[in-house]
Amino acid sequence: MEEARFRRRADVLLREHGDYLHGLARRLCRTHFDPDDLVQDVLEKTVRAPDAIPPGANERAWLSRVMHNLFIDRLRRKQARREDPITVDVPAVPKDEHAWWESLTVGDIRAKLAQLSEEQRATFELFAFEGKSYDEIAAQLGIAKATVGTRILRARTRLRELLTKERLDG
Amino acid sequence: MAECEHLARTTAYFDGALPEAEQPAALEHLAGCAECQAVLGDAVVLDAVASSTPRAAATVAPVASRAWLRTVALVGGLAAAAAVAYVVWPRHGAEAPQVALELPRERAVEARFTGEQFAKHRPYGVLRGDRVVESIPLTTLAQLEKRGDRRELFAALVATGDLARAKQVAGELPHDAQGESDRAALAVATHDLEAALDHASRALELDPALAAARWNLGLAARELGLPRVSRAAFAQIATLQEPGWATEASAQVAKLDRELATAAERAAFHDRARAMVAGGPPITADDVTRFPAAARVYLLDALRVASGDGVKALRPLAEALDAATGTTTITAAADRAAAGAPRVRAPFVDRYRAVVAGTATPDEAERLVAELRAAGRAVDDVRAGAILRGDLATKHLDELRAIVAPWGDPWFDLAVERARIAATFPPGNAGAEAALTAALASCDNPAWTLRCGELAQDLAQRLVAAGRAADAESPATRAVAAYDLAGSRAQVKAARSLLADIHRATGRTALARAELDELALADPDHSGPPSP
């Protein structure tokens, strides 16, 4: 039965990425949306779309990207309800086939870190790999909390540029 | 292309570094900004990939640490009617015995939680000691976390003051009545009162008998300045006879009653002042110093209708009011009234009272102004009063300005400016916004607070009419505060219902409903003072 196959697939994805997806959903939703509902939506869209995740792709990145799209969709719908009845539609499953992040690995990111400025690299590492909060990083590096945010923002943007370039070149 | 200035805010939101109060605005912007969406998208995938180290590389094992029950319902596309629910996580913790909590005898958080071990009443002790958080051993917290006692853990985190972690756990609470009630408790503790009201209302919609939710609603309403809504909530809890909670609820009711008694005293002042204008005894110097803003309106009216001796009797009150507000203008008004021949003024007294009482028709008010005009300078102050109180300021703007200009009294100058703006900018004209904002900026003495309220209300109404309800909130709030300060109940009521309309229009329904409840619960008999 197809339904049973969907369920098995959802089960596998959840076992592997459930914790991460729930954490990510909470980060996106905070108190403004229902995170459980978002996770469920991601699973549903993913298991039901044919070839939702291309072979060889980074599953977690893919699921996260679907979640991002569905989250933006929720935001826009909430907005649209309040303003005028325009319809919004964000494709839940990414259409850009050769996205830079599609088959990204931790190793790829680590390899590019060396090309960031020292400040950006240190801040990004503390946040992304050591799980420190802005406040903790600010205290540790002796910089303002806002500066932590700016550095992380710049680091991510730079990484995306470097990783996109590599994809195009390679 | 210039970079969007909100990228850092979007980043901070996702990274958990944006204060809750700033989140709604950030999300509103994000909904419409492609650049911010792209930045968020980058962050999402980079973090997802970065998180794959080293944990997610190993597949199954570490994930099983989540012991609590998790149900995922998948509602099918093809099999749309059949909802399939299935358990993903093994039910490890479910049969395990509860972690026993050793709680301090007094609680540090005024809000109520639904966790069973927090259900027993403990006195609210924040006033007595210097301890503002409860101490619960870290090991106990860890045990709660491990067992998956989400509601107990949540309550314990708020009680110990670990609000950041509590906020995370809030996201894991179910969206049932208890979960919503607990979210309300956290929102009360972090003084996010509107969210508290929202969550508590939702909880009560789901389960009207949930006392904790009603408690939290009562607290939120009290802090939001909605004493009647708050009193109703606590009065209801008091009837439930829960040990301890009922007593504390009754104490809340008594405290709110005292607050509302002040409102009753205010109403009594307005009754006395209205009687004075109608020919009764003057108000007292104590009245004047306690209610200076409203006393100004009544004293000016009383001077316009007073006989020669009456003016003399009012003069000490005028001096007391000027002393209380640091002005000289009421004494000057008393001198003007004394200078006008009583013989000339007497014929207008009854008709002026009718205009003030609101019993005169617009035609009668108009005729009164015409006759006052013919009677000359001796009744100039009465004429200015009739134009203002008869709501004719916009129509007779130049005439009013000519009368009041020599007085140099901001009380009247602000009224002229308000009328000028109304006459200059027809409804829908955007120029009014700047003019009203400028006029409000000069509204700095509490003595003119009623005038400031009027200007703020005009501004709010124009913004609402222009479809800018969100922008109208701030001036409408200012109008409520100004009228409230003056103790002007009828005007408070009008401004509050405008504010409730604004909140409803901007999707803040729980707040709007509470505000309308508050209005409905207020004694409807008192019409309050007339508009100045």
Side-chain angles (χ1 to χ4, degrees):
Chain A
M1 265 231 21
E2 207 169 23
E3 202 61 29
R5 199 166 53 81
F6 289 154
R7 281 171 55 184
R8 270 200 307 279
R9 178 85 180 114
D11 220 345
V12 170
L13 288 177
L14 260 182
R15 207 169 305 141
E16 204 137 342
H17 307 290
D19 263 4
Y20 185 78
L21 290 178
H22 276 102
L24 178 62
R26 284 196 296 277
R27 281 177 76 184
L28 288 169
C29 296
R30 303 280 163 198
T31 54
H32 312 284
F33 297 90
D34 181 354
D36 292 342
D37 188 52
L38 185 60
V39 173
Q40 185 181 316
D41 212 6
V42 168
L43 287 176
E44 234 193 283
K45 292 282 188 310
T46 312
V47 298
R48 286 176 197 284
D51 309 320
I53 305 181
N58 182 323
E59 247 177 20
R60 179 167 294 188
W62 202 278
L63 290 165
S64 301
R65 191 61 179 215
V66 172
M67 184 176 284
H68 167 260
N69 289 356
L70 288 171
F71 172 71
I72 297 293
D73 184 48
R74 272 167 167 66
L75 263 188
R76 290 200 203 157
R77 282 181 197 280
K78 187 174 174 190
Q79 199 85 329
R81 266 206 306 281
R82 244 184 315 175
E83 284 158 10
D84 33 20
I86 48 160
T87 51
V88 285
D89 203 18
V90 184
V93 177
K95 288 279 183 284
D96 40 350
E97 271 178 39
H98 298 292
W100 58 273
W101 44 266
E102 193 186 281
S103 50
L104 200 61
T105 65
V106 193
D108 297 334
I109 295 181
R110 287 212 182 270
K112 292 286 176 266
L113 284 176
Q115 294 181 47
L116 301 186
S117 76
E118 180 52 31
E119 289 175 342
Q120 287 174 6
R121 187 194 56 74
T123 314
F124 181 81
E125 281 186 344
L126 285 172
F127 183 82
F129 294 122
E130 295 184 30
K132 294 237 160 69
S133 72
Y134 277 26
D135 282 323
E136 289 166 334
I137 299 172
Q140 183 171 340
L141 299 182
I143 55 176
K145 194 171 156 186
T147 311
V148 176
T150 319
R151 284 189 190 171
I152 289 174
L153 168 65
R154 299 287 165 239
R156 286 180 180 143
T157 308
R158 183 79 185 121
L159 283 171
R160 197 241 302 128
E161 285 166 4
L162 292 167
L163 292 161
T164 310
K165 186 167 175 297
E166 181 178 72
R167 224 195 134 83
L168 293 177
D169 293 350
Chain B
M1 190 181 75
E3 187 180 271
C4 171
E5 58 186 320
H6 298 301
L7 296 182
R9 189 174 63 172
T10 301
T11 303
Y13 172 81
F14 179 60
D15 292 344
L18 192 67
E20 185 141 10
E22 295 172 34
Q23 292 176 8
L27 289 180
E28 193 158 322
H29 170 80
L30 176 61
C33 176
E35 220 178 325
C36 280
Q37 289 169 13
V39 157
L40 180 65
D42 290 348
V44 164
V45 290
L46 282 170
D47 279 18
V49 176
S51 82
S52 317
T53 166
R55 231 171 45 124
T59 39
V60 186
V63 188
S65 65
R66 272 261 178 99
W68 67 91
L69 181 77
R70 186 176 294 285
T71 311
V72 178
L74 289 177
V75 183
L78 292 170
V84 187
Y86 63 99
V87 176
V88 174
W89 304 110
R91 204 181 166 142
H92 286 148
E95 293 85 17
Q98 202 176 39
V99 177
L101 277 170
E102 189 91 26
L103 294 174
R105 289 172 47 145
E106 294 186 341
R107 72 187 204 276
V109 178
E110 199 176 11
R112 262 179 86 166
F113 298 95
T114 63
E116 275 156 42
Q117 304 192 61
F118 286 83
K120 187 172 166 288
H121 179 263
R122 294 176 296 141
Y124 176 46
V126 79
L127 293 174
R128 227 173 294 167
D130 48 1
R131 189 197 65 240
V132 290
V133 297
E134 296 174 25
S135 83
I136 295 174
L138 280 175
T139 48
T140 311
L141 290 175
Q143 272 178 303
L144 285 174
E145 179 135 29
K146 205 168 154 204
R147 302 267 186 193
D149 291 342
R150 304 322 278 171
R151 285 187 288 124
E152 307 286 358
L153 172 66
F154 180 75
L157 286 168
V158 180
T160 53
D162 190 352
L163 299 178
R165 178 83 182 94
K167 276 182 190 164
Q168 284 180 353
V169 177
E172 296 168 4
L173 294 172
H175 287 257
D176 56 8
Q178 294 175 320
E180 288 297 334
S181 179
D182 283 348
R183 286 190 183 90
L186 173 63
V188 169
T190 54
H191 219 71
D192 189 354
L193 301 170
E194 202 183 319
L197 194 68
D198 204 30
H199 287 301
S201 306
R202 234 179 296 159
L204 287 170
E205 275 167 28
L206 294 166
D207 180 4
L210 188 60
R214 199 165 296 282
W215 185 276
N216 296 336
L217 179 88
L219 292 178
R222 188 190 72 193
E223 298 299 303
L224 281 164
L226 303 168
R228 292 173 187 83
V229 172
S230 177
R231 187 195 185 282
F234 285 116
Q236 204 169 334
I237 292 165
T239 65
L240 297 179
Q241 307 285 327
E242 301 167 290
W245 294 114
T247 316
E248 195 176 322
S250 300
Q252 291 281 2
V253 169
K255 210 163 117 195
L256 288 159
D257 278 343
R258 281 197 293 280
E259 192 178 312
L260 290 166
T262 319
E265 257 179 70
R266 225 157 41 186
F269 157 74
H270 285 288
D271 287 344
R272 284 198 298 282
R274 262 196 301 271
M276 166 180 76
V277 176
I283 53 174
T284 64
D286 182 49
D287 282 336
V288 163
T289 44
R290 284 186 61 200
F291 306 101
R296 180 171 299 268
V297 185
Y298 290 117
L299 271 184
L300 285 168
D301 275 340
L303 286 167
R304 288 166 194 150
V305 296
S307 64
D309 284 345
V311 174
K312 277 192 203 113
L314 291 171
R315 196 177 154 108
L317 293 177
E319 286 168 4
L321 180 55
D322 272 339
T325 57
T327 53
T328 56
T329 49
I330 292 291
T331 313
D335 291 343
R336 284 194 296 273
R343 188 177 40 80
V344 185
R345 296 167 71 91
F348 301 105
V349 167
D350 287 341
R351 279 179 293 160
Y352 183 80
R353 281 185 179 137
V355 168
V356 169
T359 54
T361 65
D363 279 349
E364 285 167 343
E366 190 67 68
R367 269 201 303 278
L368 175 63
V369 171
E371 285 182 41
L372 285 163
R373 198 178 293 134
R377 299 294 307 276
V379 289
D380 261 3
D381 60 328
V382 186
R383 179 153 56 110
I387 290 172
L388 283 167
R389 307 305 302 273
D391 207 8
L392 297 165
T394 312
K395 190 172 171 198
H396 297 300
L397 175 61
D398 291 335
E399 182 178 358
L400 177 66
R401 188 188 281 130
I403 299 172
V404 306
W407 300 347
D409 183 347
W411 173 255
F412 290 101
D413 294 343
L414 283 165
V416 168
E417 178 59 5
R418 180 184 181 221
R420 183 193 72 80
I421 294 169
T424 312
F425 306 102
N429 187 309
E433 188 182 340
L436 285 166
T437 307
L440 270 169
S442 68
C443 224
D444 48 3
N445 186 331
W448 332 129
T449 184
L450 282 168
R451 293 278 183 245
C452 312
E454 290 173 334
L455 290 165
Q457 192 172 353
D458 285 355
L459 178 57
Q461 265 157 354
R462 283 191 184 249
L463 288 168
V464 168
R468 292 167 57 196
D471 295 333
E473 192 200 2
S474 158
T477 307
R478 184 165 174 185
V480 171
Y483 293 147
D484 208 32
L485 187 68
S488 169
R489 283 176 72 181
Q491 288 170 301
V492 168
K493 208 168 160 181
R496 263 207 191 284
S497 57
L498 175 65
L499 192 57
D501 285 345
I502 289 167
H503 287 147
R504 201 172 30 200
T506 49
R508 296 152 76 179
T509 43
L511 183 60
R513 206 164 356 142
E515 283 165 339
L516 291 172
D517 286 350
E518 182 73 20
L519 284 173
L521 289 165
D523 177 8
D525 293 338
H526 278 287
S527 54
S531 56

